[in-house]
């Protein structure tokens, strides 16, 4: 791959990972991803902004063949998909220094063994002059780890945001062309990576609000030449007001829990509520995460497996708690054979969700008409809560 320009003094030297299907051995990547790195050519100094995942080492190194000098390696984030090639880059450019936050230095030293003398930490708001180009660093913790920062190229008004505003999307086009496709990929990315840090991101959004931004160049996915696409989306996603959707993930082993889920979803839909139903035995967990971004309510459907919830439901409930969506109401429905502790165990898995737990509905075996009427009653309570909250 050859380096390509994104502006007068900035070249793209990243790698497209068309075939990667899982991140952190957990997160589905249906559209692959990219690891974006950029070279800024100042009159007197050259900066390399981030590197690539070590699996793509040859792509980065081939592009650096055309870069005789690197003075600074900007490490916005210490996670290895961006930092993993820094030791090799430092070996290639012996005078280069790593610019990062103080906490970034600690993490990079721990993960990659970079020696102390190769670091130059930068303060929040500090600038580095490259000759005709000035790079300003803004500390933005928790997008995605505590050490993260972004940088702003003042003369060209480009924000380099690393994970923040990124999308897992492999495409040969450096810039966003299909906004709907990128919006969906960026929302999946937000849901899986950023949503747990929503309140901190609100503060980070305020920190960059005064910047005049013409382009946002993240470290995953295409570059935004219309920054409003992603800035407006993030404003909506991190706002305190939840969306109006009701999300119903479930597993059914013999069809009884499915009957209850279908009854619930039919009643909610008839009442005008938008519902997302996911059979977890086949669902794309990323789609579920996306739905949770806009959810006000979460109803989990589970059969009892031995005495607790089905293991797949257990895992997904734990994940939902970790993602910290804006849900305000939750409940549990499902079928059991002779005894169950599904409600107690699931309720104990969501301590970080600030929800009102509405009365669960559990049926013995195949749900009776009485049990289904209890499901109707739960749907009616949910609809009433949504009406009271102005969501319907
Ligand atoms: Fe793309 Fe948090 O690394």
């Amino acid at each position: 791959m050859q380096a390509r320009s994104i502006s007068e003094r900035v070249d793209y030297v990243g790698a497209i990972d068309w075939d990667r299907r899982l991140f952190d051995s957990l997160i589905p990547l249906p559209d692959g991803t990219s690891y974006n790195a950029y070279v800024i050519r100042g009159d007197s100094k050259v900066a390399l902004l981030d590197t690539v995942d070590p699996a793509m080492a040859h792509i980065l190194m081939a592009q650096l063949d055309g870069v005789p000098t690197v003075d600074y390696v900007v490490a916005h984030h210490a996670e290895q998909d961006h930092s993993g090639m820094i030791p090799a880059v430092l070996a290639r450019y012996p005078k280069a220094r790593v610019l990062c936050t103080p906490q970034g230095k600690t993490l990079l030293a721990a993960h990659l063994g970079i020696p102390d003398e190769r670091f130059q930490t930068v303060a929040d708001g500090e600038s580095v002059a490259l000759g005709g180009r000035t790079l300003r660093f803004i500390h933005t913790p928790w997008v995605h780890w505590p050490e993260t920062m972004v940088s702003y190229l003042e003369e060209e008004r480009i924000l380099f945001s690393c994970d923040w505003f990124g999308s897992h999307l492999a495409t040969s086009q450096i810039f966003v062309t299909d906004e709907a496709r990128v919006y969906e990929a960026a929302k999946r990315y937000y849901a899986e990576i950023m949503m747990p840090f929503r309140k901190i991101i609100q503060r980070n959004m305020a920190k960059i609000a005064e910047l005049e931004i013409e382009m946002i160049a993240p470290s995953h996915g295409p570059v935004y030449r219309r920054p409003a696409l992603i800035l407006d989306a993030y404003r909506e996603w991190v706002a305190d007001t939840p969306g109006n959707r009701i999300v119903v993930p479930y597993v059914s082993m013999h069809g009884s829990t499915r009957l209850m889920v279908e009854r619930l979803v039919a009643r909610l839909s008839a009442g005008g509520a938008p519902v997302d139903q996911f059979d977890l035995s086949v669902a794309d967990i990323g789609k579920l995460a996306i739905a949770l971004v806009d959810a006000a309510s979460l109803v989990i459907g589970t059969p009892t497996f031995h005495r607790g919830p089905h293991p797949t439901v257990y895992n997904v409930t734990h994940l939902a708690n970790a993602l910290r969506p804006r849900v305000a109401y939750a409940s549990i429905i499902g079928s059991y054979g002779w005894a169950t502790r599904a409600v107690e165990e699931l309720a104990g898995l969501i301590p970080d969700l600030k929800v009102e737990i509405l009365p669960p509905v559990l049926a013995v075996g195949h749900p009776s008409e009485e049990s289904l009427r209890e499901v109707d009653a739960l749907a009616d309570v949910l609809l009433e809560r949504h009406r009271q909250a102005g969501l319907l």
Side-chain angles (χ1 to χ4, degrees):
M1 183 181 273
Q2 290 182 314
R4 291 176 285 174
S5 296
I6 69 163
S7 74
E8 188 186 335
R9 299 284 194 99
V10 183
D11 294 335
Y12 178 93
V13 294
I16 313 299
D17 197 339
W18 297 93
D19 302 320
R20 188 162 181 176
R21 287 293 172 268
L22 211 54
F23 205 87
D24 290 346
S25 297
L26 172 70
I27 296 166
L29 305 181
D31 300 311
T33 190
S34 65
Y35 318 106
N36 302 339
Y38 305 91
V39 168
I40 303 176
R41 290 172 283 103
D43 293 333
S44 55
K45 304 280 187 189
V46 173
L48 170 65
L49 277 56
D50 295 316
T51 66
V52 304
D53 192 286
M56 300 259 126
H58 58 294
I59 307 265
L60 173 69
M61 290 317 219
Q63 293 173 103
L64 291 181
D65 283 346
V67 182
T69 306
V70 168
D71 300 281
Y72 301 117
V73 180
V74 176
H76 293 111
H77 177 24
E79 193 165 12
Q80 291 89 333
D81 54 322
H82 310 293
S83 68
M85 286 301 295
I86 291 177
V89 169
L90 293 179
R92 185 164 183 161
Y93 301 103
K95 293 183 180 169
R97 292 283 177 277
V98 178
L99 304 184
C100 60
T101 62
Q103 197 165 6
K105 176 180 172 180
T106 302
L107 291 178
L108 288 164
H111 287 292
L112 299 168
I114 298 171
D116 194 66
E117 65 272 18
R118 300 303 298 265
F119 285 104
Q120 180 177 326
T121 59
V122 293
D124 190 16
E126 184 176 339
S127 295
V128 165
L130 304 175
R133 291 294 181 274
T134 311
L135 203 50
R136 193 198 320 170
F137 304 100
I138 302 161
H139 292 193
T140 50
W142 294 107
V143 290
H144 148 222
W145 285 1
E147 87 298 359
T148 46
M149 68 173 186
V150 299
S151 58
Y152 179 66
L153 187 58
E154 300 199 351
E155 291 80 1
E156 303 194 40
R157 294 181 283 280
I158 302 173
L159 182 72
F160 296 95
S161 60
C162 202
D163 276 353
W164 197 14
F165 305 129
S167 61
H168 283 311
L169 181 60
T171 164
S172 62
Q173 291 163 307
I174 292 180
F175 297 106
V176 174
T177 52
D178 183 340
E179 288 200 340
R181 187 170 184 226
V182 175
Y183 179 93
E184 178 80 2
K187 190 171 188 178
R188 174 186 286 261
Y189 190 90
Y190 168 80
E192 294 167 338
I193 305 287
M194 299 289 164
M195 189 157 62
F197 314 115
R198 185 178 62 82
K199 299 296 285 186
I200 299 171
I201 294 174
Q202 287 178 355
R203 296 197 285 277
N204 287 331
M205 294 287 288
K207 280 186 94 167
I208 63 164
E210 40 79 51
L211 298 178
E212 197 178 319
I213 300 172
E214 288 191 5
M215 198 185 290
I216 294 180
S219 290
H220 296 290
V223 173
Y224 302 89
R225 281 191 288 199
R226 193 176 76 79
L229 171 68
I230 196 65
L231 291 173
D232 289 348
Y234 262 74
R235 281 186 201 106
E236 184 184 324
W237 298 336
V238 305
D240 287 329
T241 313
N244 63 352
R245 305 194 74 83
I246 298 173
V247 176
V248 186
Y250 75 98
V251 164
S252 187
M253 295 193 294
H254 299 290
S256 298
T257 298
R258 187 197 314 276
L259 271 180
M260 299 172 76
V261 164
E262 289 172 349
R263 179 82 167 224
L264 179 82
V265 170
R267 183 94 171 186
L268 291 170
S269 302
V275 186
D276 298 294
Q277 175 182 326
F278 294 93
D279 177 349
L280 296 176
S281 63
V282 295
D284 170 352
I285 296 302
K287 290 267 190 196
L288 170 63
I290 290 172
L292 287 173
V293 174
D294 299 322
S297 295
L298 174 66
V299 180
I300 300 165
T302 185
T304 291
F305 183 88
H306 295 303
R307 62 170 209 161
H310 189 280
T312 302
V313 175
Y314 193 98
N315 284 343
V316 167
T317 305
H318 177 70
L319 178 64
N321 181 67
L323 295 180
R324 300 190 187 193
R326 296 173 287 187
V327 289
Y329 315 105
S331 192
I332 297 157
I333 61 175
S335 163
Y336 66 98
W338 49 92
T340 183
R341 285 187 49 77
V343 169
E344 293 86 338
E345 290 193 19
L346 285 181
L349 285 174
I350 52 172
D352 296 327
L353 303 187
K354 307 301 177 207
V355 292
E356 176 188 358
I357 298 192
L358 303 175
V361 181
L362 293 187
V364 183
H366 188 86
S368 64
E369 193 48 43
E370 185 186 348
S371 295
L372 293 174
R373 279 197 294 274
E374 288 179 37
V375 172
D376 288 343
L378 171 60
D380 292 345
V381 173
L382 275 164
L383 290 167
E384 186 55 29
R385 290 289 191 281
H386 276 230
R387 267 186 222 105
Q388 288 170 347
L391 300 170
L392 269 181

